[in-house]
Amino acid sequence: MLRGKRLLIVGLAALAALAALGWIVLRLRASPPRATQKAQAPGVASIPAEVRLTGTIRARQVVAVAATVEGILEQFMAEPGQEVFEGQLLARIRNGGLEAARQAAQSDLERVEARVRALESGLIAARLEASRSRADADRARSEYEKAERLFERQNFLFKEGATPKLVFEKARKEFEAARQEAETIGELARVAEDRVASLTKELDGARRLLEEKRQALEEARQNLEAAEVHSPVDGVLLARSRKVGDPVGPDVQDLLQIAVDLSALEVVLEPEPPVLERIRPAQEALVEVIEGPASGMPGQVSAVEQGRVIVAFANPSPAVKPGMTAHVRIRLAPPAPGR
């Protein structure tokens, strides 16, 4: 009887061991291999071979325009996104010192101009007076010479006793009067001519001073024009780093930013990390913009840096500009081994 009990216990133990072994086998068959689980990790198997990303277009070449002088930003003449041309006035800076210098130079010029006009008018009048005085002096001189000849003849006749004393005295008086008048009028003519010479000299000096004041005003205007910011290139105004009313100076090197050569643009993308890992420089891309060709524009990944992807492309359409939104198609590289 004891032997029968031992056999029963051994049999039950064997059945329990067989049941446990069967359960382990079933679990192993139901569970996939560890490597397969890793391959099917979420976020990897779901990434397609090609992605379509959205980014902003920007210019590859940007020219920064600095503020020209110290002052207060008074006015902008162009808005971001607007096409500008070389030499175009883009902004004006108010500088009180430059404006005061221009006003002072303008006042000086106007004062000297008034002086020149007065001298010119005075010289014209003096020349007329001198001309009239010289004519009177010539007439008086002619009368004097005529009276002198008559007096000399009467004096000769009187000495010879051939003319009455009254006739001689009359000729002498007329001669003295003519000489007096000739001397007086001649002196007036000389004074008038001296006046002309003096005014001419003064006018020459005033005209030289006027030219100096004109040059000074021109310099003041040029200095004031330095407070105007002009575009150095043709392009598209991208951004302004200051607003009207802000103080600016030559230290503000990026007051304005202008995009040039709009035939060469790029798109800045910020893909998710799993996608970023499968994008490499030199990969081909297709840039799609509503304003661009319907077939898209071929591009190429030029850089992958700091979580961003830069796709460069040639722009055949003037309608495509920096700041626009673009969709970029990129065929992803195979995942790195072991991922």
Side-chain angles (χ1 to χ4, degrees):
M1 186 174 178
L2 183 58
R3 181 181 178 84
K5 288 182 178 180
R6 289 178 177 175
L7 291 174
L8 179 60
I9 292 172
V10 170
L12 290 174
L15 286 175
L18 288 173
L21 180 62
W23 181 81
I24 292 173
V25 171
L26 289 175
R27 287 293 304 273
L28 290 174
R29 288 180 177 177
S31 300
R34 186 178 301 273
T36 304
Q37 289 180 349
K38 185 176 181 180
Q40 294 178 351
V44 175
S46 61
I47 299 177
E50 182 181 279
V51 293
R52 187 169 185 264
L53 305 173
T54 302
T56 303
I57 297 175
R58 71 182 186 185
R60 281 192 250 175
Q61 297 184 34
V62 177
V63 174
V65 183
T68 50
V69 296
E70 297 283 348
I72 301 300
L73 189 55
E74 185 176 44
Q75 186 181 10
F76 283 117
M77 280 72 175
E79 299 295 326
Q82 180 179 335
E83 292 187 8
V84 297
F85 56 86
E86 183 177 354
Q88 179 179 345
L89 178 61
L90 301 181
R92 183 175 285 113
I93 300 170
R94 184 175 69 253
N95 183 294
L98 294 178
E99 178 60 27
R102 187 202 65 80
Q103 291 178 356
Q106 182 70 44
S107 298
D108 288 346
L109 177 63
E110 291 174 355
R111 176 178 56 79
V112 176
E113 284 178 336
R115 178 59 178 165
V116 168
R117 287 193 297 269
L119 288 172
E120 288 175 340
S121 298
L123 181 59
I124 291 173
R127 283 174 174 168
L128 290 174
E129 179 62 26
S131 177
R132 186 165 47 247
S133 296
R134 177 50 56 192
D136 291 343
D138 291 343
R139 177 188 56 77
R141 181 70 181 177
S142 178
E143 292 293 331
Y144 164 70
E145 292 174 350
K146 180 180 178 181
E148 184 181 28
R149 289 193 298 271
L150 180 60
F151 170 69
E152 289 176 350
R153 182 170 182 275
Q154 291 298 326
N155 186 38
F156 173 77
L157 293 175
F158 179 71
K159 289 179 178 180
E160 295 294 329
T163 185
K165 184 177 180 180
L166 291 176
V167 174
F168 166 73
E169 290 294 335
K170 180 181 178 183
R172 186 178 63 81
K173 289 180 180 180
E174 290 178 352
F175 166 68
E176 292 294 339
R179 183 176 63 181
Q180 181 95 23
E181 183 179 14
E183 290 177 353
T184 301
I185 296 178
E187 183 62 24
L188 292 176
R190 284 192 295 274
V191 170
E193 289 170 350
D194 289 344
R195 174 66 174 164
V196 169
S198 176
L199 288 175
T200 299
K201 184 177 180 179
E202 189 174 357
L203 179 59
D204 290 341
R207 283 173 173 169
R208 287 193 296 270
L209 182 59
L210 178 62
E211 185 60 29
E212 293 175 2
K213 295 301 182 182
R214 284 173 176 167
Q215 292 178 0
L217 178 60
E218 183 62 25
E219 291 177 2
R221 285 174 175 170
Q222 290 177 355
N223 292 336
L224 192 59
E225 286 177 1
E228 296 180 345
V229 182
H230 295 261
S231 175
V233 293
D234 296 339
V236 174
L237 180 61
L238 293 181
R240 306 183 303 209
S241 65
R242 298 292 188 275
K243 62 181 182 295
V244 173
D246 286 349
V248 294
D251 58 310
V252 182
Q253 295 294 315
D254 61 344
L255 178 63
L256 301 168
Q257 295 180 21
I258 301 175
V260 297
D261 188 12
L262 298 186
S263 64
L265 302 177
E266 59 188 20
V267 185
V268 181
L269 308 171
E270 296 184 2
E272 295 295 328
V275 175
L276 182 65
E277 292 176 357
R278 295 175 59 182
I279 298 179
R280 309 282 187 273
Q283 280 182 249
E284 294 183 356
L286 184 67
V287 180
E288 299 174 335
V289 184
I290 295 176
E291 293 80 359
S295 59
M297 295 168 285
Q300 187 178 69
V301 176
S302 61
V304 180
E305 55 188 12
Q306 299 179 351
R308 300 188 304 173
V309 175
I310 311 299
V311 176
F313 68 97
N315 175 29
S317 172
V320 178
K321 300 177 181 179
M324 291 183 173
T325 299
H327 301 287
V328 182
R329 295 181 181 272
I330 302 177
R331 184 170 294 278
L332 301 178
R339 292 182 176 271

